[in-house]
Amino acid sequence: MGTGREICLGDVYVALNTTTRIKLTAEERAEAKKEGRRLREDEERPVKAQEAANQNPHLLLLGDPGSGKSTFVRQLTAQCAAGMLREESHPLPIFMTLHELIPEMDTVAQSTEFKEARQRAKQRILIELLTNEWARQLVEWQIPELLPELLAWGHDPDTHKLLLVLDGLDEMPEPLRPLLFETIPALCRTYPAIQQIIVTCRVRSYWDGMLPGFAAYTLAQFTNQQIADFITAWYRTQQRLGRMDQRWADQGIQALQTAAQGNLAELARNPMLLTTMTIIHQREKKLPEQRVELYALAVDVLMNRWQQGKDQISNLPPKLDALLADSRKLRRILELLAYQAHKTQASAQSGSELNEDDQDPNQRQQPLGRGDLLVLLEGQLEGDTSLANDFLDYIDHRAGLLVGRGGSQQEAKNQKPPSYSFPHRTFQEYLAGCYMKRGRDYIRTYLTHVKEGDYWRVAALLGAEELFFNNSSENAVLDLAYELCPTTTPRSETVWRSLLWSAQMAALLGRTTVEADEKPNGGSAYLERLLNRLTKLPHTKYLTMTERAEAGTALGQLGDPRFDPDIWYLPNEPDLGFVDIPAGTFIMGSDKKADRLTQDDEQPQHTLHLEQFLISRYQVTVAQWRAFCQATDHQPSHVASLSDPQNNPVRWISWEEAIKYCEWLTQQLREWDGTPEPLATLLRQRNDQGPPWQITLPSEAQWERAARGPSTALRQAQHTDSGHARIYPWGNDFDASRCNAFETQIGRPVAVGFFPSGKSPEGCLDMAGNLFDWTRTKWRDEESNIYHYPYHAQDGREDLGSGGARVVRGGSFGDFSHYARCAYRDDDGDADLDVGVRVCASPSPPASE
């Protein structure tokens, strides 16, 4: 027998991790060894979100849309409330959704009284605004009499503790954020019992120092284990509630876990999308492969909730009943409202970047006010004001795709929310994108919004995907891609952004489809024009780091002309991408006087002479690795090594596999007639000319020399900005725009060579960030814990024949800037998600003195 109880958050909640990593404690290492896990010397683990909350009285919790920010803080406040009911020592939680404050905060900010008030008076007004919101919530919960007690608690830190949660800072318009930032410390002074504050915010809306004194942590995506745990908990709860038997639950768990770790793995790592997938899977018994198909089904699920809810109302107005039953009309209304909401928010977020003529002064605030919504709805409902009001009243009491937001106490008493928004921006962006592709003039709509910054990027791409996958309108997407591609070299941010959108739509269609089109100036001519310009984008000052990364992905999907498919996808350059590093000396290691981040294993700093060698300008790409696998029938140890875009650096390959790739490439270049000089002679020379060179992994000394540059001034250079003993490949100061490190906030590997301003003195790219590089060098010998400096190539550390961990260099997309220093050393023993390959050509073993 089934039960009517809905699944609760506590039934399926999975503890979240952050992207911050810390070394294992002695206790954790001991426990891991008991479990038989092999650990590195500096083994790390992610900091859990709960740990971050426990350890930081002022916490800024960052995350992507749907990453679980709101879910985490709601779960945390529920735990605190439950603990208080059990008379345990927990703070009293106060949960505030920040976008509900927007209307009143904007009204206050524009008032003459506020503008003319002194600073302390302004703070009192803002504090009163927040306490009024607490009062409104208590009225909504039908317990208004608790307000005096709550305020009394706030003044009594010796007896009580309060936890204040401010959810959704990114939804607060930019002009109002300074008022909020000013209110927080004033509120703590007024109510000293507020001993902890947690603020949530989208990663894209965060900048360094946004909230001084707050510790910032970013939520990590779900791991495979977390995905599996969530799916298992979901189906076991359904089984426990009597909605399916064990056999069905077991089958559901296995099928969904397989799908979620296959083609839909990227979506499944987002908790909100995984929840949606689970609901759809339970209903459909399968999942679509394309995200817009998944979103369309998700919208259907939420619209069905509205439609099913009307059956529980006996006196539903006939016109409202008919509207709720008309799925097609309801969907079109939602698309319009999502588009208008997105337009409003885009103006609020980036209004300063828009021309005044392009701005609607009535649409600069968010979310959508009830009055604005009524006007929009009346336009869709033949001017029927009564039906528009009935619709808004109905959805305010039914969970779905549009949610009523709170306002003043009077509005709460009248049960008329002053504003509405979508429960998650993902749905808003999808539905707004669906609206963008409507009608005969959809291209003009795209050309209008590409001028307004990258806020429209996701909606624009989702609209194109909807055209292609759900509407089967291939030609419409082609026409859109052509119109967005400039006919001349881009010279402004808007035109470069238009080029990016065009590239993403071309990638959506696929190279074969584009080339087959016979439209004049389309097809192959368009593709050549597009790709040529995409390769120039990294050398410009335009677009955000995320947009640049996406441009690299599109370039890889369409066929990156920087690499030649006829020569194993090696660089399409006269020297095949090999950079000549002449014989000479350089300074190896670090000196704490010059670099405060110096590690013990980077010392002592010393001068080293190396003979000539060649090193690859780029890291080995996925396409190059695929060419090797296909030519040799090699089965990768990790299938994921072939899953990234073709022009991304390959990862998930072991050190042994990297050596096999080098051996194979050596043979190909020795036999190929086109191998350029001097590489051809060096690889083929016989004993009378010296031993033949080979393609191999660089020693860590060769790697550091290529990253740091020569040392013509030797020791005198290390305390200057000359770069001879530079800390990073470009100089002594870290710059997040020059590399793909944690601070760059892209969060994944990107196409090789897309940070040209971070090149080394002799032109090697991505030697800081993106992925670590394997080296030949052993991390430790049999007797000591590590091969110490000074570096000596003949002491066994360059022995290829023995196992053990090897030195990796250069940092990665997920590591902080200090890992990206030229002298930083780390080790790895197996294929990993943040370790790649860079090859060199040299004698073996590398000559060194």
Side-chain angles (χ1 to χ4, degrees):
M1 180 67 68
T3 175
R5 183 173 83 80
E6 293 293 328
I7 292 181
C8 299
L9 177 60
D11 294 327
V12 295
Y13 182 75
V14 174
L16 300 175
N17 295 327
T18 71
T19 57
T20 301
R21 302 185 67 83
I22 57 173
K23 290 186 177 181
L24 297 183
T25 63
E27 294 77 8
E28 289 169 338
R29 294 183 67 86
E31 185 63 30
K33 289 180 179 178
K34 285 183 182 178
E35 297 171 357
R37 289 169 48 202
R38 188 173 53 137
L39 299 177
R40 297 189 313 187
E41 192 66 31
D42 60 346
E43 190 78 21
E44 295 179 334
R45 67 165 179 83
V47 174
K48 296 184 182 299
Q50 185 70 56
E51 287 180 281
N54 292 343
Q55 297 168 4
N56 295 282
H58 290 167
L59 174 67
L60 177 61
L61 190 64
L62 306 170
D64 291 325
S67 60
K69 304 182 296 296
S70 297
T71 300
F72 171 75
V73 289
R74 289 181 185 278
Q75 176 76 353
L76 182 64
T77 53
Q79 289 174 351
C80 290
M84 292 187 68
L85 291 174
R86 294 192 298 267
E87 298 185 354
E88 297 172 355
S89 178
H90 284 274
L92 173 67
I94 302 175
F95 190 100
M96 302 185 71
T97 305
L98 287 176
H99 62 66
E100 295 182 357
L101 298 175
I102 293 172
E104 290 201 15
M105 186 171 283
D106 186 56
T107 299
V108 166
Q110 299 302 324
S111 69
T112 302
E113 177 191 1
F114 185 79
K115 290 179 179 179
E116 295 179 354
R118 293 180 179 275
Q119 193 65 22
R120 293 176 66 85
K122 285 185 176 181
Q123 291 177 357
R124 285 197 297 271
I125 293 172
L126 293 171
I127 291 171
E128 183 180 358
L129 185 150
L130 291 186
T131 54
N132 284 344
E133 172 62 15
W134 301 350
R136 186 202 64 78
Q137 291 185 15
L138 293 173
V139 169
E140 187 176 294
W141 299 333
Q142 300 181 356
I143 48 174
E145 65 276 5
L146 289 186
L147 181 61
E149 185 174 353
L150 173 62
L151 299 181
W153 277 34
H155 289 292
D156 186 8
D158 296 330
T159 309
H160 303 290
K161 292 188 297 182
L162 300 181
L163 162 64
L164 177 62
V165 175
L166 303 175
D167 188 32
L169 177 58
D170 51 283
E171 297 186 37
M172 179 73 67
E174 195 78 36
L176 296 181
R177 290 181 189 174
L179 298 182
L180 180 68
F181 298 160
E182 185 178 340
T183 305
I184 290 174
L187 190 70
C188 292
R189 289 192 296 270
T190 303
Y191 298 107
I194 299 177
Q195 298 185 7
Q196 184 173 26
I197 301 178
I198 301 178
V199 180
T200 71
C201 181
R202 262 191 175 191
V203 170
R204 289 175 65 86
S205 301
Y206 169 74
W207 65 87
D208 286 338
M210 173 186 275
L211 279 175
F214 276 69
Y217 287 80
T218 302
L219 288 179
Q221 291 186 318
F222 266 177
T223 63
N224 288 342
Q225 186 60 53
Q226 288 172 308
I227 293 170
D229 290 345
F230 178 89
I231 293 171
T232 300
W234 179 280
Y235 275 99
R236 290 296 176 231
T237 301
Q238 297 284 6
Q239 177 186 344
R240 188 170 64 253
L241 295 177
R243 294 172 182 165
M244 60 181 64
D245 60 23
Q246 181 174 342
R247 181 177 64 85
W248 279 27
D250 290 345
Q251 290 177 352
I253 291 170
Q254 181 177 0
L256 185 53
Q257 286 183 354
T258 300
Q261 295 184 12
N263 293 336
L264 292 171
E266 184 177 350
L267 295 182
R269 299 197 184 284
N270 181 286
M272 187 275 292
L273 293 180
L274 178 60
T275 302
T276 305
M277 288 165 54
T278 307
I279 293 170
I280 292 170
H281 183 264
Q282 184 180 335
R283 185 186 73 179
E284 303 287 332
K285 301 297 187 290
K286 62 179 181 179
L287 284 173
E289 294 186 359
Q290 305 301 332
R291 63 176 179 173
V292 287
E293 296 173 352
L294 183 66
Y295 295 164
L297 289 172
V299 169
D300 287 344
V301 167
L302 295 174
M303 283 202 310
N304 284 337
R305 288 185 181 177
W306 278 348
Q307 293 168 326
Q308 292 168 3
K310 70 186 180 68
D311 297 332
Q312 302 171 14
I313 302 177
S314 57
N315 59 344
L316 195 70
K319 288 185 179 180
L320 179 59
D321 188 29
L323 173 60
L324 293 171
D326 190 342
S327 297
R328 182 184 177 91
K329 190 168 189 176
L330 199 57
R331 170 67 182 254
R332 291 180 70 84
I333 288 174
L334 287 170
E335 289 177 5
L336 170 63
L337 299 183
Y339 174 77
Q340 195 62 45
H342 211 63
K343 184 178 178 181
T344 300
Q345 292 163 10
S347 296
Q349 293 289 334
S350 57
S352 60
E353 299 176 7
L354 305 180
N355 295 325
E356 286 298 317
D357 293 339
D358 293 333
Q359 295 185 51
D360 180 352
N362 296 317
Q363 298 294 342
R364 294 180 186 173
Q365 297 304 321
Q366 58 170 338
L368 287 175
R370 185 179 178 96
D372 296 328
L373 271 179
L374 286 173
V375 172
L376 292 170
L377 287 170
E378 288 167 10
Q380 299 292 304
L381 301 174
E382 300 177 352
D384 193 330
T385 303
S386 177
L387 177 56
N389 270 295
D390 288 343
F391 177 69
L392 289 183
D393 290 344
Y394 176 82
I395 65 174
D396 184 42
H397 295 89
R398 295 289 181 274
L401 279 163
L402 204 59
V403 180
R405 301 300 184 184
S408 67
Q409 294 183 54
Q410 186 59 41
E411 287 162 336
K413 291 177 182 178
N414 293 335
Q415 299 182 337
K416 299 285 186 181
S419 59
Y420 295 78
S421 65
F422 288 81
H424 198 281
R425 196 174 299 176
T426 298
F427 292 115
Q428 177 178 302
E429 288 168 333
Y430 165 66
L431 290 166
C434 291
Y435 183 89
M436 286 178 69
K437 57 84 179 172
R438 272 200 212 169
R440 297 173 60 87
D441 212 17
Y442 71 100
I443 291 177
R444 183 182 296 276
T445 301
Y446 271 77
L447 292 174
T448 296
H449 290 309
V450 78
K451 301 175 184 177
E452 299 175 0
D454 75 334
Y455 195 84
W456 284 95
R457 177 177 46 85
V458 175
L461 186 57
L462 286 170
E465 290 180 19
E466 180 77 4
L467 271 175
F468 184 63
F469 291 114
N470 291 348
N471 300 150
S472 301
S473 298
E474 180 180 293
N475 288 336
V477 181
L478 274 169
D479 290 342
L480 181 56
Y482 294 160
E483 288 294 332
L484 286 167
C485 185
T487 56
T488 59
T489 301
R491 300 188 185 280
S492 69
E493 179 177 328
T494 293
V495 184
W496 277 111
R497 181 166 291 114
S498 182
L499 180 79
L500 168 60
W501 286 18
S502 179
Q504 290 181 300
M505 289 164 199
L508 178 66
L509 293 160
R511 183 176 184 130
T512 301
T513 298
V514 175
E515 288 179 326
D517 188 42
E518 298 180 354
K519 187 172 183 176
N521 292 319
S524 296
Y526 153 78
L527 198 60
E528 181 179 357
R529 184 169 70 248
L530 175 73
L531 296 180
N532 177 264
R533 287 170 188 164
L534 275 181
T535 61
K536 294 180 172 61
L537 190 151
H539 299 275
T540 72
K541 61 183 178 180
Y542 302 108
L543 304 190
T544 65
M545 293 295 106
T546 299
E547 288 177 305
R548 288 168 177 246
E550 291 179 349
T553 298
L555 187 63
Q557 292 169 330
L558 292 167
D560 193 331
R562 298 177 299 164
F563 301 94
D564 191 339
D566 294 329
I567 49 172
W568 314 289
Y569 288 91
L570 294 178
N572 194 3
E573 302 173 7
D575 54 13
L576 302 183
F578 281 96
V579 177
D580 180 30
I581 307 296
T585 55
F586 80 106
I587 295 175
M588 187 172 186
S590 295
D591 182 347
K592 286 187 176 180
K593 294 178 181 178
D595 181 3
R596 62 181 179 80
L597 298 173
T598 295
Q599 306 293 304
D600 291 343
D601 59 26
E602 300 167 15
Q603 300 180 89
Q605 191 176 72
H606 55 289
T607 300
L608 189 69
H609 178 86
L610 291 178
E611 297 299 333
Q612 178 196 15
F613 65 96
L614 309 179
I615 193 165
S616 58
R617 187 183 316 281
Y618 304 102
Q619 295 172 303
V620 174
T621 66
V622 172
Q624 291 164 12
W625 173 245
R626 185 184 297 277
F628 160 74
C629 292
Q630 292 175 344
T632 62
D633 291 327
H634 176 75
Q635 297 298 316
S637 59
H638 284 262
V639 68
S641 66
L642 296 171
S643 63
D644 283 338
Q646 296 300 291
N647 58 355
N648 269 30
V650 67
R651 51 181 176 158
W652 292 113
I653 71 172
S654 67
W655 184 85
E656 290 76 12
E657 287 178 307
I659 291 293
K660 288 180 180 178
Y661 172 80
C662 291
E663 293 170 348
W664 171 80
L665 187 58
T666 299
Q667 191 65 28
Q668 304 315 304
L669 293 178
R670 282 175 177 168
E671 296 175 357
W672 181 46
D673 292 339
T675 301
E677 295 293 350
L679 183 61
T681 297
L682 292 171
L683 291 174
R684 297 167 185 161
Q685 62 189 1
R686 298 295 179 251
N687 290 336
D688 58 337
Q689 302 168 298
W693 285 26
Q694 65 181 20
I695 307 299
T696 183
L697 298 177
S699 69
E700 68 165 322
Q702 290 172 323
W703 188 98
E704 186 171 333
R705 161 63 183 85
R708 176 166 266 177
S711 293
T712 55
L714 295 181
R715 290 287 180 179
Q716 290 81 359
Q718 63 183 301
H719 299 303
T720 73
D721 292 328
S722 65
H724 294 303
R726 57 187 64 196
I727 296 172
Y728 299 98
W730 55 84
N732 289 345
D733 296 321
F734 179 73
D735 184 345
S737 71
R738 294 178 183 267
C739 67
N740 182 20
F742 175 84
E743 289 87 348
T744 315
Q745 288 294 294
I746 293 175
R748 59 179 174 83
V750 303
V752 297
F754 258 60
F755 286 86
S757 64
K759 65 183 178 182
S760 71
E762 282 141 328
C764 295
L765 296 166
D766 301 321
M767 300 200 82
N770 221 17
L771 293 181
F772 277 102
D773 289 326
W774 282 118
T775 72
R776 298 166 52 94
T777 310
K778 291 176 65 177
W779 178 251
R780 60 173 63 87
D781 65 9
E782 296 178 358
E783 297 181 0
S784 67
N785 207 24
I786 189 173
Y787 276 107
H788 294 283
Y789 280 4
Y791 172 91
H792 295 288
Q794 290 79 18
D795 62 5
R797 70 181 74 198
E798 300 300 338
D799 181 7
L800 292 180
S802 58
R806 299 281 167 165
V807 175
V808 294
R809 290 296 202 109
S812 81
F813 65 93
D815 290 303
F816 289 101
S817 56
H818 68 267
Y819 289 84
R821 295 177 300 112
C822 295
Y824 180 79
R825 312 172 69 215
D826 209 333
D827 71 301
D828 213 312
D830 201 358
D832 213 338
L833 84 165
D834 61 355
V835 179
V837 181
R838 186 186 302 270
V839 301
C840 78
S842 72
S844 179
S848 175
E849 297 178 4

